Amino acid sequence: MGAKSLNIKQIRYFAAVVEHGSLSAAAKGQYVTVQAVSKAIADLERELGQSLFVRESRGVHPTPFGKAFYQKALPVLDDFGELEAFAKLYHENVLPDALRLALCSPAFYGYERACASIALFANRGLGLDSTVVLETGTQGLSLLRAGEYDALITIGTLSTPDTDCVSVGAVAPGVVMSKTHPLAGQDEVSLADLSGYPIAVSQEFDSFNESIVTVYRRRKVDATFVPIVPEKFDEHLDVHRGMCLMVHIPALGEMYPGTVIKPLASGDAVAIPLCLVSMKDRKSPAYLAFERWIASELIVVGGGGIPPLPR
């Protein structure tokens, strides 16, 4: 077929595999599935007529041709990123500007790294100067209305008369508990397992949108839901053997010191929408470009195979 059929996504995935040393790590970094990366590499090798990697049990490393191809690919990727950003923004007749996003989530260990990763994801995709900060739900919505943010990233949908909510993917639910909790040794937790244990409810988040807690309370889970302020969260987990429903993203690691997060059993887990919330009557050019671009990307974070929310 020849190298004339190369596409930029193949090159991006190839470079990510070289840099990470494995297909799975590259897939996480590119926010796609391992299967998507594997297919792209196989197609690229077939079109080039050359092997790019040596596969081993502990990962992959580039062949001599793969190393040389990688060095040639780096400036191409940089130039293409700039060209792509220019093309997407030029028709709006504006100069590229900053993208200001707020992640509406309770604070967790390593949240700075998560925010930086989201900003880098936007930077690489559009070439925009992007910033992502952590916000409470109510404060984030207030600042969005005041023009401090271009959009909020919410876990679960938000419906207010003055905002638009666009689903850009899904996250898998999990259960956070102390490492000494009776359920901590299980590989997964069912809804039946939650019976008898208090589940944290945050007034800042669970009254703000269709959060994970809101979804499962509506399903009439046989559990006790108790309002918790941040200062009492450790006591809730350690003293009262309480738990907290939140996203299950293994790549984030230990989200709270001294805790573990377990996925909900496959029969009980439902996909929770990951959303962008923006003002109906005020959308910056940077945000519009970001929304169009991210709609074309596959964003599925956490456990695969989870069914969508029932309509």
Side-chain angles (χ1 to χ4, degrees), residues 1-302:
M1 185 179 295
K4 65 180 180 181
S5 298
L6 302 185
N7 67 63
I8 197 65
K9 187 166 287 189
Q10 291 174 334
I11 306 302
R12 280 179 177 154
Y13 293 175
F14 159 74
V17 174
V18 173
E19 291 161 6
H20 289 283
S22 79
L23 271 66
S24 59
K28 289 180 180 178
Q30 294 294 309
Y31 298 86
V32 295
T33 63
V34 174
Q35 291 82 359
V37 173
S38 178
K39 182 179 184 303
I41 297 301
D43 290 344
L44 186 58
E45 289 180 323
R46 181 169 57 253
E47 289 162 5
L48 292 171
Q50 296 273 0
S51 294
L52 293 168
F53 295 100
V54 176
R55 278 93 171 157
E56 297 178 339
S57 59
R58 291 178 295 179
V60 299
H61 64 266
T63 62
F65 174 76
K67 291 179 181 178
F69 191 76
Y70 173 72
Q71 293 301 320
K72 292 288 187 182
L74 288 179
V76 173
L77 289 173
D78 289 341
D79 291 344
F80 190 86
E82 294 178 7
L83 181 62
E84 195 174 43
F86 170 79
K88 288 181 177 181
L89 290 170
Y90 179 81
H91 74 279
E92 296 171 350
N93 197 30
V94 296
L95 294 175
D97 53 6
L99 178 67
R100 302 160 302 165
L101 302 173
L103 173 63
C104 292
S105 167
F108 56 90
Y109 182 71
Y111 75 83
E112 299 94 340
R113 178 165 51 90
C115 288
S117 295
I118 296 171
L120 181 61
F121 178 56
N123 290 345
R124 286 181 172 174
L126 287 173
L128 294 171
D129 181 14
S130 306
T131 58
V132 181
V133 300
L134 198 72
E135 277 287 4
T136 66
T138 51
Q139 177 74 1
L141 183 56
S142 176
L143 292 174
L144 174 69
R145 287 171 171 153
E148 295 295 318
Y149 299 123
D150 295 302
L152 307 179
I153 303 170
T154 65
I155 299 164
T157 57
L158 173 67
S159 179
T160 64
D162 58 343
T163 61
D164 289 323
C165 182
V166 178
S167 176
V168 294
V171 291
V175 184
V176 172
M177 65 192 77
S178 167
K179 289 181 178 178
T180 62
H181 194 281
L183 301 178
Q186 298 184 185
D187 291 334
E188 60 181 22
V189 177
S190 69
L191 293 181
D193 291 331
L194 303 182
S195 178
Y197 296 108
I199 308 297
V201 176
S202 167
Q203 295 304 309
E204 287 285 355
F205 296 95
D206 298 317
S207 60
F208 164 68
N209 69 336
E210 290 286 302
S211 68
I212 298 174
V213 170
T214 303
V215 168
Y216 281 96
R217 291 186 79 172
R218 192 165 56 239
R219 297 185 76 187
K220 302 190 184 304
V221 175
D222 183 19
T224 303
F225 292 89
V226 295
I228 297 294
V229 295
E231 295 77 16
K232 296 290 186 179
F233 187 69
D234 289 344
E235 179 181 324
H236 171 73
L237 296 182
D238 299 331
V239 178
H240 303 295
R241 289 187 172 180
M243 295 183 285
C244 176
L245 292 170
M246 64 182 307
V247 298
H248 178 239
I249 304 177
L252 292 177
E254 186 181 86
M255 298 180 73
Y256 297 97
T259 69
V260 293
I261 181 167
K262 299 294 181 176
L264 277 173
S266 57
D268 295 326
V270 293
I272 305 297
L274 185 67
C275 301
L276 288 176
V277 177
S278 60
M279 299 302 298
K280 283 184 181 294
D281 60 355
R282 189 185 67 248
K283 302 182 195 297
S284 70
Y287 170 73
L288 289 172
F290 179 66
E291 185 183 285
R292 284 194 299 273
W293 170 72
I294 205 170
S296 67
E297 299 293 318
L298 176 64
I299 310 290
V300 179
V301 186

